[in-house]
Amino acid sequence: QAAHEQNQVLNTNSRYLHDNIVDYAQRLSETLPEQLCVFYFLNSGSEANDLALRLARHYTGHQDVVVLDHAYHGHLSSLIDISPYKFRNLDGQKEWVHVVCTAQLNNSDMLSSLG
């Protein structure tokens, strides 16, 4: 009975909205600056990263991305292309992927060159 009741409120896909997810978005928006008022609830981290990549590319009009060496983003093909530990063993680094070693992050010249 308890499992049945839990399944009645379980949300596993945001295409089928439940009032709880809307309530959560409203509560979350109250903790953030007014400009941060749109939320995307996705099924997985891979889907979230893929959407973030697509939104950033649409907004900037650019394909290029900067990623940390050894970074993991997910198993979608769009994310394998930007995950150094993955693409090095597959097709190699694309020309539009710029990998930054974490040791370089302490170098202020490197950070300023990223703009």
Side-chain angles (χ1 to χ4, degrees):
Q1 181 62 33
H4 174 73
E5 289 175 14
Q6 181 63 41
N7 283 334
Q8 297 303 317
V9 297
L10 184 63
N11 179 27
T12 59
N13 189 315
S14 61
R15 289 181 297 182
Y16 308 104
L17 291 178
H18 185 279
D19 288 343
N20 286 344
I21 199 107
V22 176
D23 293 341
Y24 174 65
Q26 288 173 335
R27 287 193 326 268
L28 184 60
S29 71
E30 292 168 3
T31 68
L32 299 168
E34 190 174 323
Q35 302 92 325
L36 299 177
C37 59
V38 176
F39 301 91
Y40 297 97
F41 295 100
L42 301 159
N43 187 51
S44 68
S46 292
E47 287 185 14
N49 286 340
D50 181 66
L51 177 60
L53 185 61
R54 288 186 291 133
L55 289 170
R57 286 178 169 163
H58 178 76
Y59 180 79
T60 65
H62 297 283
Q63 178 86 358
D64 289 62
V65 294
V66 176
V67 297
L68 295 177
D69 201 6
H70 307 293
Y72 168 79
H73 302 97
H75 290 295
L76 300 175
S77 58
S78 61
L79 304 175
I80 290 171
D81 284 345
I82 66 168
S83 296
Y85 91 101
K86 288 270 195 187
F87 66 62
R88 286 186 178 129
N89 294 322
L90 298 170
D91 297 333
Q93 184 173 343
K94 308 283 192 231
E95 67 279 354
W96 43 266
V97 176
H98 309 278
V99 179
V100 176
C101 294
T102 53
Q104 291 175 302
L105 292 178
N106 294 326
N107 182 337
S108 61
D109 292 336
M110 174 61 181
L111 290 176
S112 63
S113 73
L114 294 175

Tab-separated table of all heavy atoms in Angstrom, residues 29-88:
chain	number	residue	atom	x	y	z
A	29	SER	N	12.358	29.805	-7.038
A	29	SER	CA	12.482	31.143	-7.625
A	29	SER	C	12.519	32.230	-6.553
A	29	SER	O	13.131	33.275	-6.754
A	29	SER	CB	11.355	31.411	-8.616
A	29	SER	OG	10.126	31.571	-7.955
A	30	GLU	N	11.888	31.980	-5.433
A	30	GLU	CA	11.876	32.963	-4.345
A	30	GLU	C	13.240	33.109	-3.671
A	30	GLU	O	13.490	34.083	-2.972
A	30	GLU	CB	10.815	32.577	-3.308
A	30	GLU	CG	9.407	32.706	-3.850
A	30	GLU	CD	8.363	32.070	-2.948
A	30	GLU	OE1	8.723	31.564	-1.862
A	30	GLU	OE2	7.186	32.063	-3.349
A	31	THR	N	14.137	32.171	-3.900
A	31	THR	CA	15.469	32.224	-3.293
A	31	THR	C	16.516	32.821	-4.236
A	31	THR	O	17.663	32.978	-3.843
A	31	THR	CB	15.947	30.823	-2.873
A	31	THR	OG1	16.184	30.032	-4.047
A	31	THR	CG2	14.921	30.126	-1.985
A	32	LEU	N	16.120	33.129	-5.463
A	32	LEU	CA	17.056	33.580	-6.488
A	32	LEU	C	16.721	34.987	-6.962
A	32	LEU	O	15.594	35.454	-6.773
A	32	LEU	CB	17.004	32.609	-7.679
A	32	LEU	CG	17.381	31.167	-7.367
A	32	LEU	CD1	17.014	30.264	-8.528
A	32	LEU	CD2	18.859	31.061	-7.050
A	33	PRO	N	17.678	35.649	-7.626
A	33	PRO	CA	17.376	36.962	-8.213
A	33	PRO	C	16.217	36.844	-9.210
A	33	PRO	O	16.014	35.791	-9.825
A	33	PRO	CB	18.677	37.330	-8.945
A	33	PRO	CG	19.735	36.529	-8.270
A	33	PRO	CD	19.070	35.257	-7.829
A	34	GLU	N	15.471	37.919	-9.370
A	34	GLU	CA	14.264	37.918	-10.205
A	34	GLU	C	14.519	37.443	-11.637
A	34	GLU	O	13.673	36.799	-12.249
A	34	GLU	CB	13.665	39.320	-10.220
A	34	GLU	CG	12.289	39.385	-10.839
A	34	GLU	CD	11.665	40.758	-10.700
A	34	GLU	OE1	11.858	41.408	-9.655
A	34	GLU	OE2	10.994	41.182	-11.653
A	35	GLN	N	15.721	37.752	-12.164
A	35	GLN	CA	16.031	37.364	-13.546
A	35	GLN	C	16.111	35.845	-13.716
A	35	GLN	O	15.951	35.338	-14.819
A	35	GLN	CB	17.366	37.966	-14.015
A	35	GLN	CG	17.426	39.465	-13.955
A	35	GLN	CD	17.994	39.956	-12.621
A	35	GLN	OE1	17.769	39.371	-11.563
A	35	GLN	NE2	18.722	41.058	-12.655
A	36	LEU	N	16.395	35.124	-12.642
A	36	LEU	CA	16.490	33.661	-12.704
A	36	LEU	C	15.122	33.075	-12.367
A	36	LEU	O	14.872	32.611	-11.266
A	36	LEU	CB	17.564	33.150	-11.740
A	36	LEU	CG	18.979	33.643	-12.012
A	36	LEU	CD1	19.934	33.128	-10.949
A	36	LEU	CD2	19.441	33.213	-13.401
A	37	CYS	N	14.246	33.085	-13.349
A	37	CYS	CA	12.866	32.694	-13.090
A	37	CYS	C	12.362	31.586	-14.004
A	37	CYS	O	11.188	31.238	-13.973
A	37	CYS	CB	11.955	33.912	-13.183
A	37	CYS	SG	12.008	34.710	-14.797
A	38	VAL	N	13.234	31.040	-14.845
A	38	VAL	CA	12.851	29.942	-15.727
A	38	VAL	C	13.615	28.703	-15.285
A	38	VAL	O	14.823	28.761	-15.055
A	38	VAL	CB	13.176	30.265	-17.204
A	38	VAL	CG1	12.861	29.084	-18.101
A	38	VAL	CG2	12.415	31.506	-17.656
A	39	PHE	N	12.901	27.589	-15.173
A	39	PHE	CA	13.515	26.354	-14.703
A	39	PHE	C	13.233	25.228	-15.684
A	39	PHE	O	12.136	25.153	-16.246
A	39	PHE	CB	12.971	25.963	-13.317
A	39	PHE	CG	13.217	27.014	-12.279
A	39	PHE	CD1	12.280	28.006	-12.036
A	39	PHE	CD2	14.407	27.032	-11.575
A	39	PHE	CE1	12.516	28.992	-11.101
A	39	PHE	CE2	14.654	28.021	-10.634
A	39	PHE	CZ	13.704	28.996	-10.400
A	40	TYR	N	14.220	24.389	-15.874
A	40	TYR	CA	14.067	23.204	-16.709
A	40	TYR	C	14.355	21.998	-15.828
A	40	TYR	O	15.469	21.853	-15.333
A	40	TYR	CB	15.054	23.228	-17.881
A	40	TYR	CG	14.832	24.381	-18.829
A	40	TYR	CD1	15.578	25.549	-18.709
A	40	TYR	CD2	13.884	24.298	-19.835
A	40	TYR	CE1	15.377	26.614	-19.577
A	40	TYR	CE2	13.682	25.362	-20.707
A	40	TYR	CZ	14.426	26.508	-20.567
A	40	TYR	OH	14.237	27.562	-21.430
A	41	PHE	N	13.372	21.170	-15.637
A	41	PHE	CA	13.554	19.954	-14.860
A	41	PHE	C	13.685	18.805	-15.852
A	41	PHE	O	12.782	18.570	-16.666
A	41	PHE	CB	12.375	19.724	-13.912
A	41	PHE	CG	12.278	20.786	-12.867
A	41	PHE	CD1	11.379	21.829	-12.994
A	41	PHE	CD2	13.094	20.746	-11.745
A	41	PHE	CE1	11.292	22.820	-12.022
A	41	PHE	CE2	13.021	21.732	-10.773
A	41	PHE	CZ	12.116	22.775	-10.917
A	42	LEU	N	14.799	18.107	-15.774
A	42	LEU	CA	15.088	17.065	-16.746
A	42	LEU	C	15.262	15.722	-16.052
A	42	LEU	O	15.358	15.639	-14.827
A	42	LEU	CB	16.330	17.443	-17.551
A	42	LEU	CG	16.147	18.774	-18.285
A	42	LEU	CD1	17.467	19.390	-18.629
A	42	LEU	CD2	15.298	18.570	-19.509
A	43	ASN	N	15.364	14.705	-16.851
A	43	ASN	CA	15.413	13.337	-16.353
A	43	ASN	C	16.773	12.940	-15.802
A	43	ASN	O	16.864	12.078	-14.956
A	43	ASN	CB	15.000	12.391	-17.485
A	43	ASN	CG	14.863	10.969	-17.038
A	43	ASN	OD1	14.190	10.701	-16.064
A	43	ASN	ND2	15.520	10.074	-17.724
A	44	SER	N	17.839	13.564	-16.297
A	44	SER	CA	19.174	13.126	-15.891
A	44	SER	C	20.171	14.269	-16.024
A	44	SER	O	19.896	15.289	-16.663
A	44	SER	CB	19.632	11.959	-16.779
A	44	SER	OG	19.851	12.419	-18.111
A	45	GLY	N	21.353	14.047	-15.459
A	45	GLY	CA	22.435	15.013	-15.606
A	45	GLY	C	22.869	15.146	-17.054
A	45	GLY	O	23.204	16.247	-17.511
A	46	SER	N	22.862	14.039	-17.783
A	46	SER	CA	23.223	14.094	-19.204
A	46	SER	C	22.263	14.984	-19.969
A	46	SER	O	22.678	15.820	-20.781
A	46	SER	CB	23.225	12.692	-19.818
A	46	SER	OG	24.274	11.909	-19.301
A	47	GLU	N	20.972	14.811	-19.723
A	47	GLU	CA	19.990	15.653	-20.401
A	47	GLU	C	20.154	17.116	-19.995
A	47	GLU	O	20.030	18.015	-20.827
A	47	GLU	CB	18.568	15.187	-20.089
A	47	GLU	CG	18.199	13.902	-20.786
A	47	GLU	CD	16.749	13.513	-20.553
A	47	GLU	OE1	15.958	14.349	-20.077
A	47	GLU	OE2	16.412	12.369	-20.867
A	48	ALA	N	20.445	17.369	-18.737
A	48	ALA	CA	20.642	18.745	-18.267
A	48	ALA	C	21.863	19.368	-18.941
A	48	ALA	O	21.817	20.527	-19.388
A	48	ALA	CB	20.791	18.761	-16.747
A	49	ASN	N	22.959	18.630	-19.029
A	49	ASN	CA	24.165	19.158	-19.673
A	49	ASN	C	23.958	19.374	-21.158
A	49	ASN	O	24.436	20.358	-21.723
A	49	ASN	CB	25.348	18.221	-19.423
A	49	ASN	CG	25.864	18.326	-18.013
A	49	ASN	OD1	25.632	19.302	-17.321
A	49	ASN	ND2	26.571	17.304	-17.574
A	50	ASP	N	23.252	18.460	-21.820
A	50	ASP	CA	22.978	18.618	-23.247
A	50	ASP	C	22.130	19.859	-23.485
A	50	ASP	O	22.408	20.649	-24.396
A	50	ASP	CB	22.278	17.372	-23.792
A	50	ASP	CG	22.005	17.476	-25.274
A	50	ASP	OD1	22.973	17.504	-26.063
A	50	ASP	OD2	20.814	17.549	-25.654
A	51	LEU	N	21.113	20.063	-22.663
A	51	LEU	CA	20.276	21.256	-22.811
A	51	LEU	C	21.085	22.524	-22.540
A	51	LEU	O	20.974	23.509	-23.279
A	51	LEU	CB	19.063	21.195	-21.879
A	51	LEU	CG	18.157	22.423	-21.914
A	51	LEU	CD1	17.590	22.655	-23.314
A	51	LEU	CD2	17.043	22.286	-20.893
A	52	ALA	N	21.916	22.514	-21.505
A	52	ALA	CA	22.744	23.686	-21.200
A	52	ALA	C	23.667	24.012	-22.380
A	52	ALA	O	23.831	25.190	-22.739
A	52	ALA	CB	23.561	23.430	-19.933
A	53	LEU	N	24.239	22.996	-22.983
A	53	LEU	CA	25.117	23.189	-24.140
A	53	LEU	C	24.328	23.787	-25.307
A	53	LEU	O	24.772	24.742	-25.950
A	53	LEU	CB	25.747	21.853	-24.535
A	53	LEU	CG	26.777	21.847	-25.639
A	53	LEU	CD1	27.982	22.699	-25.261
A	53	LEU	CD2	27.219	20.415	-25.931
A	54	ARG	N	23.145	23.252	-25.577
A	54	ARG	CA	22.328	23.770	-26.675
A	54	ARG	C	21.868	25.203	-26.407
A	54	ARG	O	21.886	26.043	-27.313
A	54	ARG	CB	21.118	22.856	-26.919
A	54	ARG	CG	21.537	21.535	-27.565
A	54	ARG	CD	20.366	20.664	-27.966
A	54	ARG	NE	19.678	20.154	-26.787
A	54	ARG	CZ	18.354	20.184	-26.626
A	54	ARG	NH1	17.574	20.700	-27.554
A	54	ARG	NH2	17.810	19.687	-25.538
A	55	LEU	N	21.470	25.504	-25.164
A	55	LEU	CA	21.052	26.867	-24.836
A	55	LEU	C	22.205	27.859	-24.979
A	55	LEU	O	22.033	28.957	-25.515
A	55	LEU	CB	20.487	26.922	-23.418
A	55	LEU	CG	19.129	26.264	-23.196
A	55	LEU	CD1	18.820	26.182	-21.708
A	55	LEU	CD2	18.041	27.015	-23.948
A	56	ALA	N	23.387	27.474	-24.479
A	56	ALA	CA	24.558	28.357	-24.572
A	56	ALA	C	24.928	28.619	-26.029
A	56	ALA	O	25.236	29.758	-26.407
A	56	ALA	CB	25.732	27.745	-23.822
A	57	ARG	N	24.896	27.584	-26.842
A	57	ARG	CA	25.240	27.758	-28.260
A	57	ARG	C	24.214	28.629	-28.966
A	57	ARG	O	24.565	29.456	-29.804
A	57	ARG	CB	25.363	26.397	-28.938
A	57	ARG	CG	26.633	25.689	-28.543
A	57	ARG	CD	26.727	24.341	-29.163
A	57	ARG	NE	28.064	23.796	-28.978
A	57	ARG	CZ	28.359	22.521	-29.118
A	57	ARG	NH1	27.434	21.651	-29.451
A	57	ARG	NH2	29.591	22.106	-28.932
A	58	HIS	N	22.967	28.441	-28.647
A	58	HIS	CA	21.929	29.274	-29.260
A	58	HIS	C	22.094	30.727	-28.835
A	58	HIS	O	22.011	31.646	-29.663
A	58	HIS	CB	20.541	28.758	-28.881
A	58	HIS	CG	19.427	29.590	-29.424
A	58	HIS	ND1	19.042	29.529	-30.738
A	58	HIS	CD2	18.641	30.518	-28.832
A	58	HIS	CE1	18.053	30.389	-30.943
A	58	HIS	NE2	17.793	31.002	-29.794
A	59	TYR	N	22.330	30.949	-27.561
A	59	TYR	CA	22.464	32.311	-27.021
A	59	TYR	C	23.688	33.023	-27.592
A	59	TYR	O	23.613	34.187	-27.989
A	59	TYR	CB	22.534	32.266	-25.497
A	59	TYR	CG	22.672	33.633	-24.873
A	59	TYR	CD1	21.556	34.465	-24.725
A	59	TYR	CD2	23.899	34.103	-24.440
A	59	TYR	CE1	21.670	35.727	-24.171
A	59	TYR	CE2	24.023	35.367	-23.887
A	59	TYR	CZ	22.912	36.174	-23.755
A	59	TYR	OH	23.032	37.422	-23.208
A	60	THR	N	24.834	32.328	-27.631
A	60	THR	CA	26.072	32.968	-28.082
A	60	THR	C	26.237	32.944	-29.593
A	60	THR	O	26.985	33.759	-30.137
A	60	THR	CB	27.311	32.286	-27.461
A	60	THR	OG1	27.403	30.946	-27.951
A	60	THR	CG2	27.244	32.296	-25.947
A	61	GLY	N	25.597	31.993	-30.241
A	61	GLY	CA	25.805	31.830	-31.673
A	61	GLY	C	27.140	31.189	-31.998
A	61	GLY	O	27.574	31.201	-33.147
A	62	HIS	N	27.798	30.628	-31.005
A	62	HIS	CA	29.104	29.993	-31.192
A	62	HIS	C	29.050	28.519	-30.819
A	62	HIS	O	28.276	28.107	-29.968
A	62	HIS	CB	30.169	30.681	-30.335
A	62	HIS	CG	30.386	32.105	-30.705
A	62	HIS	ND1	31.097	32.495	-31.813
A	62	HIS	CD2	29.969	33.246	-30.117
A	62	HIS	CE1	31.110	33.803	-31.891
A	62	HIS	NE2	30.426	34.291	-30.874
A	63	GLN	N	29.913	27.740	-31.438
A	63	GLN	CA	30.016	26.308	-31.191
A	63	GLN	C	31.030	26.000	-30.086
A	63	GLN	O	30.885	25.022	-29.364
A	63	GLN	CB	30.443	25.617	-32.502
A	63	GLN	CG	30.654	24.139	-32.429
A	63	GLN	CD	29.363	23.355	-32.637
A	63	GLN	OE1	28.297	23.908	-32.803
A	63	GLN	NE2	29.483	22.056	-32.604
A	64	ASP	N	32.067	26.844	-29.958
A	64	ASP	CA	33.192	26.559	-29.064
A	64	ASP	C	32.773	26.404	-27.609
A	64	ASP	O	31.855	27.079	-27.133
A	64	ASP	CB	34.231	27.670	-29.154
A	64	ASP	CG	34.965	27.650	-30.473
A	64	ASP	OD1	34.299	27.832	-31.512
A	64	ASP	OD2	36.179	27.453	-30.471
A	65	VAL	N	33.486	25.497	-26.920
A	65	VAL	CA	33.289	25.308	-25.484
A	65	VAL	C	34.642	25.172	-24.804
A	65	VAL	O	35.610	24.700	-25.396
A	65	VAL	CB	32.429	24.058	-25.160
A	65	VAL	CG1	31.008	24.223	-25.657
A	65	VAL	CG2	33.042	22.798	-25.725
A	66	VAL	N	34.707	25.615	-23.568
A	66	VAL	CA	35.882	25.446	-22.726
A	66	VAL	C	35.513	24.429	-21.661
A	66	VAL	O	34.478	24.565	-21.004
A	66	VAL	CB	36.295	26.781	-22.056
A	66	VAL	CG1	37.454	26.569	-21.103
A	66	VAL	CG2	36.638	27.810	-23.117
A	67	VAL	N	36.352	23.394	-21.520
A	67	VAL	CA	36.079	22.339	-20.534
A	67	VAL	C	37.339	22.053	-19.724
A	67	VAL	O	38.453	22.318	-20.172
A	67	VAL	CB	35.595	21.028	-21.208
A	67	VAL	CG1	34.284	21.239	-21.939
A	67	VAL	CG2	36.644	20.470	-22.152
A	68	LEU	N	37.129	21.523	-18.544
A	68	LEU	CA	38.260	21.108	-17.711
A	68	LEU	C	38.773	19.750	-18.163
A	68	LEU	O	37.993	18.872	-18.559
A	68	LEU	CB	37.839	21.019	-16.247
A	68	LEU	CG	37.441	22.323	-15.582
A	68	LEU	CD1	36.986	22.058	-14.154
A	68	LEU	CD2	38.590	23.320	-15.598
A	69	ASP	N	40.084	19.596	-18.096
A	69	ASP	CA	40.681	18.305	-18.394
A	69	ASP	C	40.107	17.266	-17.438
A	69	ASP	O	39.851	17.559	-16.274
A	69	ASP	CB	42.202	18.389	-18.232
A	69	ASP	CG	42.921	17.281	-18.986
A	69	ASP	OD1	42.266	16.526	-19.727
A	69	ASP	OD2	44.149	17.193	-18.841
A	70	HIS	N	39.866	16.087	-17.915
A	70	HIS	CA	39.288	14.965	-17.160
A	70	HIS	C	37.822	15.170	-16.819
A	70	HIS	O	37.260	14.426	-16.014
A	70	HIS	CB	40.091	14.666	-15.884
A	70	HIS	CG	41.544	14.467	-16.128
A	70	HIS	ND1	42.042	13.402	-16.833
A	70	HIS	CD2	42.617	15.228	-15.792
A	70	HIS	CE1	43.356	13.490	-16.914
A	70	HIS	NE2	43.730	14.604	-16.288
A	71	ALA	N	37.181	16.181	-17.400
A	71	ALA	CA	35.782	16.467	-17.082
A	71	ALA	C	34.861	15.383	-17.619
A	71	ALA	O	35.109	14.797	-18.673
A	71	ALA	CB	35.381	17.815	-17.671
A	72	TYR	N	33.811	15.140	-16.891
A	72	TYR	CA	32.763	14.201	-17.290
A	72	TYR	C	31.463	14.983	-17.427
A	72	TYR	O	31.106	15.762	-16.548
A	72	TYR	CB	32.602	13.107	-16.232
A	72	TYR	CG	31.358	12.280	-16.432
A	72	TYR	CD1	31.339	11.273	-17.394
A	72	TYR	CD2	30.208	12.524	-15.707
A	72	TYR	CE1	30.198	10.518	-17.605
A	72	TYR	CE2	29.061	11.775	-15.903
A	72	TYR	CZ	29.065	10.772	-16.855
A	72	TYR	OH	27.936	10.031	-17.068
A	73	HIS	N	30.757	14.793	-18.520
A	73	HIS	CA	29.511	15.522	-18.744
A	73	HIS	C	28.322	14.607	-18.986
A	73	HIS	O	27.189	15.052	-18.910
A	73	HIS	CB	29.663	16.477	-19.930
A	73	HIS	CG	30.774	17.446	-19.748
A	73	HIS	ND1	32.028	17.254	-20.283
A	73	HIS	CD2	30.839	18.597	-19.056
A	73	HIS	CE1	32.813	18.259	-19.944
A	73	HIS	NE2	32.118	19.087	-19.195
A	74	GLY	N	28.552	13.355	-19.342
A	74	GLY	CA	27.461	12.426	-19.612
A	74	GLY	C	27.785	11.543	-20.802
A	74	GLY	O	28.845	11.641	-21.405
A	75	HIS	N	26.825	10.692	-21.135
A	75	HIS	CA	27.049	9.693	-22.184
A	75	HIS	C	26.359	9.995	-23.505
A	75	HIS	O	26.361	9.162	-24.398
A	75	HIS	CB	26.615	8.305	-21.696
A	75	HIS	CG	27.525	7.760	-20.651
A	75	HIS	ND1	28.837	7.446	-20.890
A	75	HIS	CD2	27.309	7.493	-19.345
A	75	HIS	CE1	29.393	6.996	-19.784
A	75	HIS	NE2	28.479	7.021	-18.835
A	76	LEU	N	25.754	11.157	-23.662
A	76	LEU	CA	25.171	11.528	-24.950
A	76	LEU	C	26.307	11.890	-25.901
A	76	LEU	O	27.352	12.387	-25.478
A	76	LEU	CB	24.228	12.714	-24.798
A	76	LEU	CG	23.042	12.516	-23.867
A	76	LEU	CD1	22.257	13.805	-23.727
A	76	LEU	CD2	22.146	11.413	-24.377
A	77	SER	N	26.111	11.677	-27.188
A	77	SER	CA	27.199	11.951	-28.137
A	77	SER	C	27.640	13.411	-28.085
A	77	SER	O	28.826	13.706	-28.230
A	77	SER	CB	26.801	11.548	-29.557
A	77	SER	OG	25.638	12.228	-29.962
A	78	SER	N	26.709	14.331	-27.862
A	78	SER	CA	27.077	15.745	-27.760
A	78	SER	C	27.995	15.996	-26.573
A	78	SER	O	28.832	16.909	-26.608
A	78	SER	CB	25.826	16.618	-27.624
A	78	SER	OG	25.111	16.273	-26.444
A	79	LEU	N	27.864	15.192	-25.532
A	79	LEU	CA	28.661	15.380	-24.315
A	79	LEU	C	29.965	14.603	-24.364
A	79	LEU	O	30.966	15.020	-23.778
A	79	LEU	CB	27.831	14.988	-23.097
A	79	LEU	CG	26.498	15.739	-22.985
A	79	LEU	CD1	25.681	15.209	-21.832
A	79	LEU	CD2	26.719	17.231	-22.887
A	80	ILE	N	29.974	13.490	-25.059
A	80	ILE	CA	31.225	12.748	-25.258
A	80	ILE	C	32.205	13.626	-26.035
A	80	ILE	O	33.400	13.642	-25.756
A	80	ILE	CB	30.964	11.406	-25.967
A	80	ILE	CG1	30.234	10.465	-25.000
A	80	ILE	CG2	32.261	10.783	-26.474
A	80	ILE	CD1	29.719	9.192	-25.630
A	81	ASP	N	31.678	14.406	-26.976
A	81	ASP	CA	32.523	15.307	-27.766
A	81	ASP	C	33.225	16.357	-26.914
A	81	ASP	O	34.245	16.898	-27.318
A	81	ASP	CB	31.700	16.031	-28.838
A	81	ASP	CG	31.354	15.150	-30.017
A	81	ASP	OD1	31.973	14.073	-30.172
A	81	ASP	OD2	30.462	15.543	-30.792
A	82	ILE	N	32.686	16.666	-25.731
A	82	ILE	CA	33.305	17.690	-24.883
A	82	ILE	C	33.887	17.118	-23.592
A	82	ILE	O	34.263	17.878	-22.705
A	82	ILE	CB	32.321	18.840	-24.575
A	82	ILE	CG1	31.145	18.375	-23.720
A	82	ILE	CG2	31.846	19.502	-25.860
A	82	ILE	CD1	30.305	19.503	-23.149
A	83	SER	N	33.957	15.812	-23.473
A	83	SER	CA	34.505	15.163	-22.274
A	83	SER	C	35.872	14.574	-22.605
A	83	SER	O	35.958	13.521	-23.245
A	83	SER	CB	33.562	14.063	-21.779
A	83	SER	OG	32.324	14.606	-21.376
A	84	PRO	N	36.971	15.242	-22.196
A	84	PRO	CA	38.312	14.823	-22.589
A	84	PRO	C	38.620	13.356	-22.313
A	84	PRO	O	39.200	12.673	-23.160
A	84	PRO	CB	39.226	15.735	-21.774
A	84	PRO	CG	38.423	16.967	-21.558
A	84	PRO	CD	37.012	16.476	-21.388
A	85	TYR	N	38.239	12.836	-21.168
A	85	TYR	CA	38.598	11.456	-20.879
A	85	TYR	C	37.867	10.485	-21.801
A	85	TYR	O	38.309	9.365	-21.999
A	85	TYR	CB	38.350	11.128	-19.399
A	85	TYR	CG	36.982	10.586	-19.092
A	85	TYR	CD1	36.788	9.218	-18.910
A	85	TYR	CD2	35.884	11.428	-18.985
A	85	TYR	CE1	35.533	8.713	-18.628
A	85	TYR	CE2	34.642	10.931	-18.698
A	85	TYR	CZ	34.461	9.571	-18.528
A	85	TYR	OH	33.220	9.084	-18.255
A	86	LYS	N	36.771	10.930	-22.409
A	86	LYS	CA	36.036	10.097	-23.358
A	86	LYS	C	36.591	10.262	-24.766
A	86	LYS	O	36.916	9.288	-25.426
A	86	LYS	CB	34.548	10.473	-23.357
A	86	LYS	CG	33.811	10.049	-22.144
A	86	LYS	CD	33.255	8.689	-22.370
A	86	LYS	CE	32.217	8.389	-21.314
A	86	LYS	NZ	31.773	7.025	-21.411
A	87	PHE	N	36.660	11.530	-25.254
A	87	PHE	CA	37.013	11.709	-26.665
A	87	PHE	C	38.449	11.320	-26.972
A	87	PHE	O	38.762	10.989	-28.105
A	87	PHE	CB	36.674	13.115	-27.180
A	87	PHE	CG	37.429	14.275	-26.604
A	87	PHE	CD1	38.807	14.399	-26.734
A	87	PHE	CD2	36.735	15.299	-25.967
A	87	PHE	CE1	39.480	15.500	-26.227
A	87	PHE	CE2	37.394	16.400	-25.466
A	87	PHE	CZ	38.764	16.500	-25.593
A	88	ARG	N	39.321	11.327	-25.978
A	88	ARG	CA	40.712	10.930	-26.239
A	88	ARG	C	40.825	9.460	-26.620
A	88	ARG	O	41.748	9.077	-27.320
A	88	ARG	CB	41.578	11.238	-25.019
A	88	ARG	CG	41.839	12.724	-24.876
A	88	ARG	CD	42.800	13.041	-23.768
A	88	ARG	NE	43.032	14.467	-23.727
A	88	ARG	CZ	42.936	15.204	-22.636
A	88	ARG	NH1	42.649	14.644	-21.470
A	88	ARG	NH2	43.153	16.500	-22.689
